Amino acid sequence: MKLAFSTLGVPGLPVPDVLALATAHGYHGVELRAHPEEPVHPGLPPAERAEIASQFKAAGVEVLGLAGYTRVAAPGDDAPVLDEIRQLLQLAHDLGAPYVRVLPGADPDLPREESDAVAARRLGAAAEDATALGARILLETHDSHRTGADAIRVLGPVGHRQVGALWDVMHTWLGGEQPADTFAALAPHLGYVQVKDIASADDTAPLPLGAGVLPLTECVDVLCRQGWDGWLCWEYEKRWYEAAAPLPELLDAGRDHLVRLLGEAA
């Protein structure tokens, strides 16, 4: 498997500095948080997109994906949601990223079936744009749809190869789902896996990998047993927890921990 980290862990850091971290600490790729407060977002002009793509290529680091914030199950009109997804897909195309991340974001006061149908309809409509632009839309296990069982209620009806799943191991654990069950639900759709660690369900501030309670060993074991060889991406949520230790000083130990888990699973 290949290893990446998310720029959520280094808020606002310029792309050259992000690439320097990746190369210095042995990561194969980077997940870019696609938000206006970051250096990479859908509002970038073509020349800046080309420059960023060139910088990644020169560094020998891959753009794993763009972490967008579109909420595909949220109430409201479809058009603004589809426009957001298309902008993400175009940016992914321009940067050479294979994936874009979207979130569920359903209204808990609406019937579950209604929100599932809305999300499936929108993802199905966006799938053709994804095909044309050569990127895949991944629905993250998150918020209203935090388990694999939740996500599959949307992905199953979509049934398109350009729409898949992003497994966030914290959210499936918070949802009470075992790693083997998550993988069984998401396997036909799985794009990549976000790893992280936390102290407890009540304290989700980011910790160094292996220092918390998340079942990283079990997750890696399941992936290896099933012959899955995609990406593990460390999403260290420094942006939301300013008091957390700086990610750069943790990158070596995090890489070593994942490599050790992979070796033991093999």
Side-chain angles (χ1 to χ4, degrees), residues 116-150:
D116 291 347
V118 166
R121 181 178 71 241
R122 290 168 174 168
L123 289 170
E128 296 310 312
D129 293 296
T131 300
L133 291 167
R136 196 170 179 220
I137 306 165
L138 301 183
L139 178 66
E140 183 174 324
T141 55
H142 197 275
D143 57 80
S144 61
H145 291 65
R146 67 182 357 164
T147 66
D150 293 329

Side-chain angles (χ1 to χ4, degrees), residues 14-265:
V15 169
D17 296 333
V18 170
L19 291 170
L21 286 176
T23 54
H25 298 286
Y27 287 79
H28 309 98
V30 174
E31 178 192 74
L32 294 169
R33 179 175 180 248
H35 189 280
E37 67 186 23
E38 298 291 344
V40 179
H41 56 82
L44 286 182
E48 290 186 35
R49 298 178 183 214
E51 175 60 23
I52 290 168
S54 176
Q55 290 171 350
F56 269 86
K57 184 175 181 180
V61 176
E62 297 182 50
V63 184
L64 169 57
L66 302 178
Y69 289 88
T70 305
R71 286 165 166 76
V72 296
D77 294 337
D78 288 357
V81 175
L82 292 173
D83 185 57
E84 281 188 31
I85 297 174
R86 290 185 184 112
Q87 289 184 47
L88 281 171
L89 289 168
Q90 184 64 59
L91 181 59
H93 172 271
D94 295 344
L95 298 182
Y99 302 113
V100 301
R101 185 277 305 273
V102 298
L103 300 174
D107 184 338
D109 294 329
L110 293 177
R112 188 178 80 173
E113 295 78 10
E114 180 179 330
S115 296
D116 291 347
V118 166
R121 181 178 71 241
R122 290 168 174 168
L123 289 170
E128 296 310 312
D129 293 296
T131 300
L133 291 167
R136 196 170 179 220
I137 306 165
L138 301 183
L139 178 66
E140 183 174 324
T141 55
H142 197 275
D143 57 80
S144 61
H145 291 65
R146 67 182 357 164
T147 66
D150 293 329
I152 201 64
R153 298 198 315 265
V154 173
L155 298 175
V158 175
H160 196 290
R161 60 184 176 81
Q162 289 302 110
V163 177
L166 199 172
W167 177 6
D168 181 319
V169 302
M170 181 182 75
H171 284 282
T172 54
W173 180 79
L174 290 172
E177 192 171 63
Q178 295 299 311
D181 295 331
T182 303
F183 183 82
L186 298 182
H189 310 279
L190 189 56
Y192 63 97
V193 178
Q194 284 180 344
V195 297
K196 60 187 70 173
D197 223 338
I198 57 173
S200 70
D202 298 318
D203 182 2
T204 57
L207 293 176
L209 294 180
V213 297
L214 293 185
L216 300 180
T217 299
E218 292 90 334
C219 291
V220 171
D221 282 346
V222 167
L223 294 169
C224 288
R225 275 203 316 274
Q226 299 298 329
W228 189 81
D229 63 352
W231 286 84
L232 299 178
C233 178
W234 187 5
E235 189 189 46
Y236 185 80
E237 298 187 345
K238 174 69 171 175
R239 173 62 182 85
W240 314 126
Y241 297 91
E242 293 184 9
L247 177 62
E249 65 189 39
L250 306 177
L251 285 171
D252 278 343
R255 179 204 63 224
D256 291 346
H257 184 71
L258 292 175
V259 169
R260 183 165 58 253
L261 293 182
L262 290 166
E264 290 170 355

